[in-house]
Amino acid sequence: MISQAHRGTTSSALTRLSVNAAQRFGIPAHGYAHLLGLAPEHLNDDLCRTPAATGIRIAELTTVHASWTDLSALLTDQSGIGALGVWDYLVTSAPTPLEGIRDAAAHLAIVADPGTDTMRITEDGEQVVISHVNEADLTYEAACAIRAYALGLYQRRLSEAAQRRLVPLRVTLAAKAPRRHDALLELYGTRAIDFEAPATTVTFLASDLTAPTPHTQPGLSAVLRRHAEQSLAAAIPLHNWLDLFRTALASLYDETVPTLAAVARRMAVSTRTLQRRLDEHDTTWSTEVEGARRDHITHLLHGTDLSIDAIATRSGYADARALRRAVQRWYGTTPAALRRTGRLPNDPPVPGAPPR
């Protein structure tokens, strides 16, 4: 399910592709390494969603030193099957490539910013037109690169589904014709590329996309769709510094009862800076620890068979009675009842619980 929190973020997998491309083109890391979501613990965690502004900035820096045509070709080349996780397999595992790309369009938010990016698929007689719409606030060169890459990615996944290279009938790009576009000719495998078009599209023969996908497994698409929805629901959108802090705090809670100094070390800042940043975000260390503790305990109650005493010990409480008092304050019930009801950790807490 797409929530408001997912808007303005993209998958960490997509951001990794942008970082790798920037490195390949020799873009100095000091220009982007400080951006939100690029710390290794976030960039390499597929549950984290990077701020879309981070990927945009990397694309803009890259197209200062490389042509947008070369960047789109390199991004497509890097996007081997599996690079974008379950989204890739939605395309390649459906009964036909057309059904797969429809699934991919419906679940584009798994990889892209649902606030700015959409896919549209239309059937026009014997042709299928796939368009990509990107409404992000980008520089011209970066926008061209991202849109051209999107078409290259769709073509690659459809070809992988069909297990043969599918050559489009036509490609249209909402971009001025570059001086050289050899990279695009190689990328799409056709000279039928129209520039300065009103939309960014790629058109295939319907017969190419409706032929059965080789070796497809009945029922697999439904499993992948459910997995895609669950993955998006479990994702951690990183919009700002407070999101990064909460991610660091939660990760430490999985290992031990966190301390201010430990979280400061994880975030590579001083304890004084950490407290100041919390104050700037109108929260406090104690409030955040209480919220993280609540989430941690609720996960343990629902996801493990640990006793209440063991959960109290793992959560830093003196005994089970202290844990029971906390759960009563947060949810208005007992730990045992909370475990029986199966209340989800991200359900709205009762009034009086710490804000998250």
Side-chain angles (χ1 to χ4, degrees):
M1 179 184 296
I2 300 172
S3 72
Q4 192 64 33
H6 294 104
R7 297 180 183 276
T9 66
T10 64
S11 72
S12 58
L14 192 61
T15 307
R16 287 197 296 270
L17 291 175
S18 297
V19 170
N20 291 338
Q23 292 172 342
R24 289 276 295 274
F25 282 117
I27 310 304
H30 64 75
Y32 58 84
H34 63 285
L35 297 174
L36 286 174
L38 295 192
E41 63 268 25
H42 303 132
L43 187 62
N44 297 323
D45 185 347
D46 286 334
L47 277 179
C48 290
R49 287 182 64 87
T50 313
T54 291
I56 288 171
R57 183 57 181 158
I58 295 171
E60 290 175 340
L61 288 170
T62 304
T63 51
V64 169
H65 299 274
S67 71
W68 65 264
T69 57
D70 286 341
L71 176 56
S72 61
L74 178 58
L75 286 170
T76 305
D77 183 63
Q78 290 182 154
S79 300
I81 187 75
L84 296 175
V86 66
W87 186 87
D88 290 338
Y89 301 105
L90 288 171
V91 185
T92 59
S93 300
T96 67
L98 180 57
E99 291 175 73
I101 201 67
R102 283 175 175 158
D103 281 347
H107 295 85
L108 186 62
I110 297 173
V111 291
D113 178 0
T116 60
D117 289 85
T118 54
M119 281 176 69
R120 295 172 185 164
I121 302 170
T122 57
E123 295 182 59
D124 183 10
E126 297 181 352
Q127 301 179 1
V128 176
V129 181
I130 304 169
S131 62
H132 182 90
V133 179
N134 179 282
E135 298 174 336
D137 185 12
L138 294 156
T139 61
Y140 172 78
E141 297 283 330
C144 292
I146 289 173
R147 293 165 187 160
Y149 161 59
L151 298 189
L153 175 64
Y154 303 156
Q155 179 187 3
R156 178 166 185 173
R157 287 294 171 271
L158 288 166
S159 296
E160 288 162 340
Q163 295 190 6
R164 60 186 179 87
R165 188 173 192 193
L166 300 181
V167 178
L169 297 174
R170 181 173 60 258
V171 173
T172 69
L173 295 169
K176 296 177 183 176
R179 290 186 209 174
R180 294 177 55 89
H181 52 273
D182 300 20
L184 297 181
L185 298 178
E186 184 176 348
L187 173 60
Y188 301 124
T190 181
R191 292 186 172 275
I193 303 175
D194 297 332
F195 295 96
E196 299 188 48
T200 298
T201 69
V202 58
T203 301
F204 295 95
L205 277 173
S207 57
D208 282 340
L209 303 191
T210 54
T213 300
H215 313 303
T216 187
Q217 299 181 40
L220 181 57
S221 287
V223 172
L224 291 171
R225 287 193 295 269
R226 286 195 298 272
H227 179 56
E229 291 162 2
Q230 291 165 356
S231 297
L232 189 60
I236 305 169
L238 304 177
H239 290 282
N240 52 40
W241 180 88
L242 188 58
D243 289 335
L244 301 183
F245 164 80
R246 286 174 173 168
T247 302
L249 180 60
S251 67
L252 277 173
Y253 234 125
D254 289 338
E255 304 163 9
T256 184
V257 178
T259 64
L260 180 67
V263 176
R265 284 195 298 273
R266 178 69 61 94
M267 299 187 72
V269 297
S270 68
T271 55
R272 179 175 296 180
T273 297
L274 183 59
Q275 289 177 314
R276 177 174 56 79
R277 295 300 301 274
L278 288 171
D279 185 59
E280 290 171 356
H281 285 80
D282 296 320
T283 188
T284 65
W285 169 255
S286 61
T287 297
E288 293 299 321
V289 169
E290 182 81 348
R293 178 180 278 173
R294 184 197 71 216
D295 293 346
H296 180 68
I297 288 170
T298 311
H299 277 295
L300 291 178
L301 285 170
H302 292 154
T304 74
D305 294 324
L306 291 172
S307 68
I308 304 303
D309 287 315
I311 292 175
T313 300
R314 284 197 179 196
S315 306
Y317 282 106
D319 52 37
R321 285 190 302 172
L323 171 61
R324 291 189 182 96
R325 286 195 297 269
V327 171
Q328 181 68 37
R329 185 173 68 253
W330 296 332
Y331 294 108
T333 188
T334 65
L338 183 63
R339 174 172 269 171
R340 286 196 303 272
T341 59
R343 185 188 180 100
L344 295 175
N346 55 356
D347 284 348
V350 297
R356 298 298 291 159

